[in-house]
Amino acid sequence: MEIFGLSPTLFWTAVFVISTFGLYIAIAIWARAGTTNDFYVAGHDVHPVFNGMATAADWMSAASFLSMAGLIAFMGYDGSVFLMGWTGGYVLLALLLAPYLRKFGKFTVPDFVGDRYYSQTARIVAVICALFISFTYIAGQMRGVGIAFTNFLNVPIEVGVIIGAIIVLFYATLGGMKGITYTQVAQYCVLIFAFMVPAIFLSLQITGSPIPQLGFVGNAQDGTPLLQNLDRTLVDLGFQPYTEGAKAKIDVFAITLALMVGTAGLPHVIIRFFTVPKASDARKSAGWALVFIAILYTTAPAVAVFARSNFIETVNESDYSIDVRRGEALSADMGEDATPQWFYNWERAGLLGFTDKNADGRIQYRADEETNEVTTLDRDIFVLANPEIGNLPAWVIGLVVAGGLAAALSTAAGLLMVISSAVSHDLCRKVLFKRMSDGQELLVARLAAVGAVLIAIYAGINPPGFVAAVVAFAFGLAAASFFPAIFLGIFWKRMNKEGAIAGMSTGLVVTGLYIIHYKIGFGSAVIGALALLAAISCAVIYFGTRERIDGTKGSLAFAGIAGVLALAGIAGFAGLLPSLAIGDPASWFLGISPEGFGAVGMAISFAVSIAVALITAAPPQDVQDLVEDIRIPSIRTHVEHGPKTAHAPAPAKQEPRPETGGAKPPGRPAGGQ
């Protein structure tokens, strides 16, 4: 029965999406940022419980909400790497890094790196790492937004990506971190409710238990264990048993480790701990976030099993109708064995596909490529499709769409904040234009967010893989660049700027090249794009360090290298450079996939950082004393901050140490001893 001329699904989806978008915009207007302190760190006055909810929403991206259950559903046991890696990484971040970073009292991760390593070059390298990681990650979020829009609101993926980008840009640039924080609190409520409601319905349908976690290990309605039943069905169709893994153990270990340390190095998660009043509140908010995250993460494996079981039961050996495909009939009129209507809906969206290879008019879903007739199967759709597959009420479908959008937008907003703060605060104000006013810095931050959204739209429309796979690349880059620099910066007082710069650069480059080689390939245009990015990086380093505080000049070598790389970039885009084919998985290093190579990159980064630090001069004594201080709660409870209108969090902040490695002491962090 139609509601106001619309199908029930479209009506309820529109109601939930429009009302939640209106709520987000209202919160952004209420929390409009007027100072840099509000814009970057929400005034440092967010309550730990609210920060825990915002952190959970920030961390549980479209990958967690939309894609993780789909990946587990089709990877089975191997999909557990995402659960172990992401959850373990969060614990690592909460226990090892967050409180100490908060005590350091900086706006951003590059801010921490720049001051801890008393180096503008280290700050610039950290900015480059943050931008690489954030742009890779945000591509996955925008793709998730497009998928959520495309089927339920009947718009193309491209239009969905653009609509989502405009919404997140509005409340991120208007409210800054303060607006984002309270928007993420609302988004957490929406997404967790949207994830749990269909999970409870499906658990009741399939196992009779209202608790999905119990249904996952319980029996199906026929009395047989659910997992055993699924194992038997998959084996009959030629697939690997659900409870057995196909990946090599070393690859499982590498992916889990890369996701774990990558989580601990993600800048958009780390900056959430800068928004609470003191270090002890950072610990409390980390604990609350873990509770909020666990609700979804313990439910996802159950949703995955329900999705795979339902998909096989309703699609395999069903009667396919061309008339329904054309929209000239409904599946409900085609008899009991008809292919369900939702299959046609997602097929029209291009995310499912059927090829009748044996011309029998029925869908055969098999592991063998020769006989498998489900020729397109986008795993990202399964959380969204689950309510339809389970024949749940239309309002549940609308709720899930709103939840998926909330998950994607909450993380995208956090990433936009990282990008805009990295450009405006760390690059422009701290490096290139040190006399910028607060107003000018805010303007640059908002313009940087606009530029980031435009790039994110393109990346979201043309992603290099599934949402979770794209996000896994971001985790690999974060693991190989930020994590060693932050970890050693907190726990090893002998770590110096030379080691940090060498480690971050090596980790980022090695990991990035490995991923590109096995996922994209080095075509002429790809080489050109990489050369241009490297040219821009060298140019920024040159301009950022050419006039040192002690009157010496930076190296002209960076300017020369930037020029050569720029010419190489132009040649690449003109198709003049040779191309290399995508790497063969048979040649993976030690059998480690691109998703797991971040663990190798991290090990290399650690080794390079430590080796370079040991053969170069030790940090100044006051930097070593500072590292001792921030690890001892009894000495410094938290870093004090200046008035909210101040630019820097420290009331008596000094300029960063010049690039001389000489005797002048570095600037203390805010409220230094």
Side-chain angles (χ1 to χ4, degrees):
M1 179 182 295
E2 292 189 342
I3 305 175
F4 297 114
L6 302 174
S7 69
T9 299
L10 183 58
F11 172 80
W12 285 111
T13 302
V15 167
F16 280 112
V17 170
I18 293 172
S19 59
T20 52
F21 278 14
L23 176 63
Y24 306 152
I25 292 172
I27 291 173
I29 294 172
W30 165 74
R32 182 174 182 175
T35 68
T36 52
N37 216 23
D38 283 343
F39 192 86
Y40 292 134
V41 289
H44 290 302
D45 62 357
V46 179
H47 191 279
V49 175
F50 288 147
N51 195 45
M53 296 178 78
T55 304
D58 204 348
W59 189 61
M60 290 192 295
S61 61
S64 294
F65 187 95
L66 295 179
S67 197
M68 184 172 67
L71 281 172
I72 296 173
F74 288 88
M75 294 173 68
Y77 176 82
D78 287 338
S80 62
V81 296
F82 294 99
L83 287 172
M84 293 188 294
W86 285 335
T87 307
Y90 184 78
V91 174
L92 189 66
L93 173 62
L95 296 180
L96 279 185
L97 304 182
Y100 305 116
L101 289 171
R102 176 62 190 88
K103 284 181 71 175
F104 209 86
K106 293 300 170 184
F107 280 154
T108 65
V109 174
D111 219 6
F112 166 80
V113 172
D115 281 13
R116 163 60 181 85
Y117 294 114
Y118 47 97
S119 165
Q120 291 291 65
T121 304
R123 186 190 305 276
I124 294 169
V125 172
V127 168
I128 293 167
C129 293
L131 294 178
F132 264 102
I133 295 165
S134 300
F135 276 119
T136 307
Y137 205 162
I138 205 170
Q141 309 313 306
M142 289 296 105
R143 176 72 174 175
V145 170
I147 290 174
F149 267 106
T150 188
N151 188 58
F152 297 104
L153 291 178
N154 298 326
V155 298
I157 283 183
E158 294 81 2
V159 176
V161 169
I162 293 171
I163 293 173
I166 292 172
I167 293 294
V168 73
L169 176 66
F170 179 83
Y171 70 75
T173 55
L174 184 64
M177 180 57 89
K178 190 174 181 182
I180 287 173
T181 296
Y182 293 105
T183 303
Q184 286 173 335
V185 170
Q187 287 167 334
Y188 175 79
C189 298
V190 172
L191 75 87
I192 200 66
F193 190 64
F195 198 84
M196 294 305 298
V197 167
I200 291 171
F201 270 109
L202 291 171
S203 183
L204 278 169
Q205 281 184 0
I206 296 174
T207 69
S209 171
I211 302 174
Q213 291 86 345
L214 296 180
F216 171 67
V217 295
N219 295 336
Q221 296 287 22
D222 61 2
T224 59
L226 184 62
L227 289 173
Q228 183 180 330
N229 199 23
L230 182 57
D231 271 354
R232 186 170 55 244
T233 303
L234 289 173
V235 170
D236 289 345
L237 297 176
F239 292 97
Q240 183 86 9
Y242 191 82
T243 54
E244 293 182 13
K247 283 183 174 292
K249 286 184 179 178
I250 189 171
D251 196 27
V252 171
F253 175 79
I255 295 174
T256 303
L257 182 59
L259 293 175
M260 186 179 292
V261 295
T263 297
L266 284 178
H268 73 286
V269 178
I270 291 173
I271 62 173
R272 287 242 47 92
F273 296 101
F274 298 152
T275 64
V276 292
K278 52 187 184 292
S280 60
D281 290 332
R283 290 192 181 90
K284 291 176 186 174
S285 60
W288 279 110
L290 191 58
V291 171
F292 296 133
I293 290 168
I295 297 173
L296 188 146
Y297 268 57
T298 56
T299 307
V303 172
V305 171
F306 301 155
R308 191 72 182 273
S309 301
N310 270 336
F311 180 79
I312 294 172
E313 184 176 338
T314 56
V315 171
N316 187 43
E317 300 297 343
S318 63
D319 293 329
Y320 188 85
S321 168
I322 296 296
D323 291 338
V324 180
R325 172 70 179 85
R326 292 171 178 162
E328 298 170 354
L330 293 175
S331 171
D333 301 328
M334 296 294 143
E336 283 189 5
D337 295 331
T339 302
Q341 185 69 43
W342 59 265
F343 188 95
Y344 300 100
N345 296 339
W346 287 105
E347 190 180 20
R348 281 192 282 272
L351 300 176
L352 277 176
F354 164 60
T355 302
D356 194 2
K357 294 178 178 176
N358 58 7
D360 67 349
R362 298 171 69 85
I363 297 178
Q364 274 85 41
Y365 174 55
R366 301 288 186 271
D368 185 359
E369 291 294 328
E370 296 294 323
T371 56
N372 179 37
E373 296 182 334
V374 182
T375 49
T376 301
L377 180 56
D378 191 324
R379 301 169 186 178
D380 290 343
I381 68 172
F382 275 89
V383 166
L384 292 175
N386 249 347
E388 294 177 282
I389 297 173
N391 283 320
L392 300 184
W395 67 266
V396 177
I397 299 171
L399 181 62
V400 172
V401 177
L405 290 170
L409 295 180
S410 61
T411 304
L415 292 165
L416 277 183
M417 182 53 58
V418 170
I419 294 169
S420 63
S421 61
V423 172
S424 64
H425 181 70
D426 298 306
L427 191 58
C428 291
R429 184 152 188 171
K430 288 295 186 74
V431 176
L432 297 177
F433 312 105
K434 297 176 182 175
R435 295 181 181 176
M436 287 176 71
S437 66
D438 270 11
Q440 290 170 325
E441 185 179 342
L442 273 177
L443 177 62
V444 172
R446 286 168 170 146
L447 292 176
V450 172
V453 159
L454 294 177
I455 297 174
I457 289 173
Y458 175 81
I461 293 173
N462 303 284
F466 296 118
V467 171
V470 173
V471 169
F473 295 159
F475 281 79
L477 296 177
S481 57
F482 273 145
F483 182 75
I486 294 173
F487 184 88
L488 292 172
I490 292 173
F491 294 102
W492 191 34
K493 64 182 181 182
R494 179 62 176 76
M495 184 65 180
N496 61 14
K497 65 180 181 182
E498 290 84 0
I501 295 169
M504 283 191 294
S505 304
T506 305
L508 185 73
V509 170
V510 171
T511 305
L513 292 179
Y514 189 87
I515 292 173
I516 292 172
H517 177 55
Y518 286 105
K519 285 293 182 182
I520 302 174
F522 286 100
S524 180
V526 173
I527 297 174
L530 292 174
L532 281 181
L533 289 173
I536 294 170
S537 302
C538 288
V540 170
I541 292 175
Y542 169 69
F543 284 111
T545 60
R546 63 177 175 169
E547 293 182 0
R548 293 169 172 165
I549 295 173
D550 61 355
T552 63
K553 299 291 184 182
S555 174
L556 277 173
F558 284 112
I561 294 171
V564 173
L565 289 171
L567 291 175
I570 295 171
F573 280 111
L576 301 177
L577 298 181
S579 298
L580 298 175
I582 296 178
D584 185 350
S587 63
W588 284 349
F589 176 72
L590 297 177
I592 297 174
S593 63
E595 288 82 358
F597 194 77
V600 179
M602 177 199 66
I604 294 172
S605 180
F606 264 115
V608 170
S609 298
I610 294 171
V612 172
L614 288 176
I615 61 175
T616 50
Q621 188 58 47
D622 63 343
V623 171
Q624 298 187 43
D625 293 342
L626 169 66
V627 175
E628 293 282 355
D629 287 350
I630 63 173
R631 293 206 313 267
I632 303 174
S634 59
I635 291 181
R636 302 176 67 210
T637 55
H638 69 280
V639 177
E640 295 178 355
H641 302 281
K644 293 185 177 183
T645 52
H647 160 64
K653 186 178 181 309
Q654 301 174 21
E655 288 296 323
R657 185 178 176 77
E659 292 286 276
T660 59
K664 187 175 180 178
R668 283 281 198 182
Q673 302 297 296

